[in-house]
Amino acid sequence: MRPTMAQAQLKDGFIYGDNVNSEYVYMPAGEIGVSNPICVYEHNGVCRDVDFAEAEKLITLRSLKVTSHPSLGNRSC
């Protein structure tokens, strides 16, 4: 099965989010290339770890787009 665009871009360090609602999903640099990566879901400055499948669900359900993070910039790595 081919990866979705969101899966491929998360694995490449792109950040998905919504700057208006301060909501972001990204894979930290240390997780790139790991077999079971953990991603970060950040909302209003509160961060929590989510597995890769949950990160993809959050991106889809909340219609998050590739964006720039206020402190990380355009990429998480």
Side-chain angles (χ1 to χ4, degrees), residues 7-46:
Q7 289 172 336
Q9 288 185 323
L10 272 177
K11 289 180 179 180
D12 283 341
F14 285 87
I15 299 169
Y16 279 80
D18 178 353
N19 290 346
V20 173
N21 294 315
S22 300
E23 185 173 25
Y24 305 94
V25 175
Y26 57 91
M27 182 182 296
E31 297 291 321
I32 294 174
V34 176
S35 59
N36 292 314
I38 298 296
C39 295
V40 175
Y41 172 62
E42 183 178 332
H43 187 247
N44 291 325
V46 177

Side-chain angles (χ1 to χ4, degrees), residues 30-76:
E31 297 291 321
I32 294 174
V34 176
S35 59
N36 292 314
I38 298 296
C39 295
V40 175
Y41 172 62
E42 183 178 332
H43 187 247
N44 291 325
V46 177
C47 299
R48 70 176 173 100
D49 293 342
V50 295
D51 64 25
F52 193 72
E54 179 69 14
E56 187 177 20
K57 286 179 191 173
L58 287 166
I59 290 168
T60 302
L61 291 173
R62 300 188 184 280
S63 299
L64 302 178
K65 306 294 181 210
V66 174
T67 190
S68 178
H69 188 279
S71 60
L72 297 174
N74 294 328
R75 308 269 302 262
S76 64

